[in-house]
Amino acid sequence: MKIITKEIIVETEGNCDIRNISEEVRKYLKESKMKEGSCCVFSIGSTASITTLEYEPGLLKDIPKILEKLIPAYSKYYHNDTWGDNNGHSHLRSAIIGTSLNIPFIKSELILGTWQQIVLIDFDNKKRTRRIAVQLTGE
Ligand code: ZN
């Protein structure tokens, strides 16, 4: 069994910036020459998330809209009292959606649906440079 760990760097605009990182993940899988196993995609940091989404213009608007209803940017958050960084909502959105995904692969292909892309969502309230760990485990 082999384990290979790589990193993807993404410059984001913050504020629910959604980026499709599927091609970068596929590139690392191809380079690894691994045939079967699982691929962990993990966002390093507590104000961003990794999930899957159909990456199309409607959902890119629907996701920020529904999150604004569930966890509004401007509300009372105790986190903001702790640090004064006003990104309590960013941490909560990240915690609820989650920071990692595990995607199985066979025959060197990720098992993803046709309309299922791997996305990074940056919830912070400012521009960020995001590091995403991609760890392939298998053979
Ligand atoms: Zn914070």
Side-chain angles (χ1 to χ4, degrees):
M1 195 176 73
K2 239 178 7 178
I3 299 175
I4 296 174
T5 308
K6 299 277 189 177
E7 204 170 275
I8 297 170
I9 306 287
V10 185
E11 305 285 339
T12 78
E13 296 298 317
N15 298 300
C16 250
D17 190 3
I18 306 174
R19 300 299 182 90
N20 183 356
I21 58 168
S22 310
E23 283 319 303
E24 287 93 331
V25 177
R26 281 203 181 91
K27 187 188 89 178
Y28 287 144
L29 176 57
K30 195 172 179 190
E31 285 172 5
S32 78
K33 310 227 184 288
M34 290 163 85
K35 300 266 182 268
E36 188 166 13
S38 69
C39 173
C40 175
V41 182
F42 178 76
S43 172
I44 302 167
S46 62
T47 51
S49 284
I50 300 287
T51 187
T52 65
L53 195 69
E54 180 181 349
Y55 195 81
E56 57 83 22
L59 283 168
L60 299 186
K61 290 181 198 153
D62 290 330
I63 290 276
K65 187 179 165 193
I66 194 73
L67 284 168
E68 188 55 37
K69 275 190 195 164
L70 296 170
I71 306 170
Y74 298 99
S75 187
K76 164 69 186 166
Y77 298 111
Y78 296 109
H79 175 75
N80 297 340
D81 298 338
T82 308
W83 302 120
D85 56 2
N86 293 319
N87 68 353
H89 67 290
S90 317
H91 291 281
L92 294 167
R93 291 174 182 188
S94 167
I96 282 171
I97 293 184
T99 52
S100 74
L101 266 188
N102 207 31
I103 308 150
F105 58 91
I106 49 170
K107 296 178 184 167
S108 303
E109 294 284 343
L110 294 170
I111 305 176
L112 285 170
T114 308
W115 310 113
Q116 185 177 27
Q117 281 83 49
I118 306 164
V119 297
L120 161 74
I121 313 179
D122 197 330
F123 295 119
D124 214 341
N125 56 0
K126 59 185 181 213
K127 291 182 179 200
R128 296 288 303 259
T129 301
R130 290 293 179 183
R131 293 169 56 216
I132 301 155
V134 178
Q135 188 169 67
L136 301 157
T137 305
E139 50 196 18

